[in-house]
Amino acid sequence: MKFLVFTFLMLSLLNKSSFADSTFIAPSYFLTYGDYSNKSYSISNAVYLSTYLTDRITLINHYEYLNINLRKDSTYQQHTILGGVIANFFPYYLKFFYNYKRGDYLIDNNKLYTDHTNIYSIEAIYYQNLFYWGLSYSFENAIGILNSNNLTHQQIQQITGRIEYIYSPSLYLSIRPNYSALKDGRKLYSLSGKVTYFPIISTAVKMYGFYGERAYYFDNDILTLFNQDETQEYQTGIQLDYYPSYNMLISAGFQHTKFQSFKINYFIAGFRYGLFI
């Protein structure tokens, strides 16, 4: 919901602005540190660029470099590139994303194998009486060495619903049911929720999580992919967003996620700044 709310806010500001011959862009950077219960750790550097071409069309670009230190002599290095479009035809909204991921497994700095994942995602959203109703479909195709049993090909079809309610100007509620069907036969169901509260106009507190089962989950709001083949069982998180001005965001958060055989604690920090060019 973070990108969705920010996008709608910026589009409304653009619609009222006098910069008719300018383009509004919002670059951002996020750093994530992951502490794994199996003694591994990860560092992710991610950059985003939102380009508001008109009050109806927004382009989203994203690049992430993730490094996971598995053992003393082995690492997993992942590069992710994403491009997308958000179309605003109020009360209708459409989101289209393409995501490409390449992962390299190295031992003593020598590449042992590479895996590739392509993701195609689309979502339609409808606004009515303070509610956002949405439905998204994502298709993922992963090729490479994907788990310890030498799985070489996985396909995932993901259907995710969206019910968001603006309870008040300071309180947003979100529920997202999810169904995933994997080529290996897994049928996974989960339910996620998020509460966004503004105790003061410049600060947002977000509490979120999910319970159930999911794998290779693509989040088309925060544009992240949980690309582990192992089934994910639950997640909890909290995030603090501070807006020093209408076009600047400073963010920090903590997230705990549980897979079948291990857990990960994520520590997240980032900022976003919007400007006219």
Side-chain angles (χ1 to χ4, degrees):
M1 185 172 160
K2 176 171 65 178
F3 275 88
L4 194 64
V5 171
F6 182 77
T7 298
F8 295 162
L9 175 62
M10 289 298 102
L11 287 176
S12 65
L13 289 170
L14 280 173
N15 208 25
K16 299 175 183 177
S17 72
S18 60
F19 292 81
D21 298 324
S22 300
T23 299
F24 190 83
I25 64 170
S28 61
Y29 166 77
F30 282 83
L31 173 68
T32 302
Y33 174 81
D35 181 20
Y36 293 60
S37 61
N38 59 9
K39 307 305 180 182
S40 301
Y41 69 91
S42 66
I43 298 176
S44 164
N45 291 276
V47 291
Y48 302 82
L49 178 63
S50 301
T51 304
Y52 302 87
L53 296 180
T54 70
D55 60 349
R56 294 190 181 276
I57 301 298
T58 303
L59 304 181
I60 306 292
N61 295 285
H62 162 54
Y63 171 76
E64 178 188 22
Y65 172 68
L66 170 69
N67 187 88
I68 304 176
N69 286 272
L70 302 168
R71 298 187 303 273
K72 183 178 180 179
D73 61 344
S74 62
T75 60
Y76 180 78
Q77 297 177 357
Q78 177 179 296
H79 301 266
T80 302
I81 300 174
L82 177 142
V85 178
I86 300 176
N88 172 10
F89 301 101
F90 183 84
Y92 301 98
Y93 303 88
L94 294 174
K95 301 168 69 175
F96 306 90
F97 294 110
Y98 168 71
N99 188 316
Y100 171 74
K101 179 193 72 68
R102 190 195 79 205
D104 299 320
Y105 182 78
L106 297 91
I107 296 181
D108 291 328
N109 294 320
N110 296 311
K111 188 183 300 184
L112 186 63
Y113 66 79
T114 297
D115 62 72
H116 304 270
T117 301
N118 290 277
I119 304 174
Y120 308 87
S121 178
I122 182 172
E123 181 176 18
I125 302 170
Y126 175 64
Y127 172 82
Q128 182 184 40
N129 298 329
L130 302 180
F131 278 93
Y132 288 100
W133 307 90
L135 187 66
S136 69
Y137 171 78
S138 298
F139 175 79
E140 302 176 33
N141 188 55
I143 299 174
I145 307 298
L146 304 177
N147 62 20
S148 59
N149 295 321
N150 292 325
L151 177 70
T152 59
H153 187 206
Q154 186 70 277
Q155 289 184 339
I156 307 94
Q157 297 188 72
Q158 175 183 308
I159 299 174
T160 306
R162 179 192 299 272
I163 305 172
E164 297 182 344
Y165 177 53
I166 305 174
Y167 181 81
S168 71
S170 61
L171 182 62
Y172 300 82
L173 307 175
S174 174
I175 295 176
R176 302 198 70 186
N178 179 76
Y179 167 73
S180 296
L182 283 73
K183 183 182 178 182
D184 61 18
R186 278 180 283 175
K187 311 293 184 183
L188 307 178
Y189 300 87
S190 66
L191 181 66
S192 65
K194 178 183 285 187
V195 177
T196 302
Y197 174 61
F198 289 82
I200 57 176
I201 193 170
S202 62
T203 303
V205 179
K206 301 177 181 179
M207 294 175 289
Y208 61 91
F210 94 90
Y211 184 77
E213 293 183 321
R214 63 191 193 188
Y216 296 92
Y217 179 73
F218 176 65
D219 189 321
N220 71 344
D221 281 344
I222 61 175
L223 307 181
T224 58
L225 168 66
F226 291 88
N227 67 315
Q228 292 90 341
D229 184 73
E230 187 169 321
T231 300
Q232 190 179 9
E233 297 179 337
Y234 69 82
Q235 179 189 84
T236 59
I238 186 169
Q239 182 174 315
L240 180 66
D241 290 347
Y242 172 59
Y243 298 86
S245 64
Y246 85 91
N247 62 341
M248 184 175 182
L249 164 69
I250 300 173
S251 182
F254 170 79
Q255 182 185 109
H256 173 76
T257 185
K258 168 69 168 60
F259 292 82
Q260 287 179 321
S261 65
F262 66 97
K263 303 175 183 178
I264 311 175
N265 290 322
Y266 289 109
F267 303 86
I268 306 159
F271 68 91
R272 180 186 295 112
Y273 187 78
L275 68 158
F276 286 97
I277 58 172

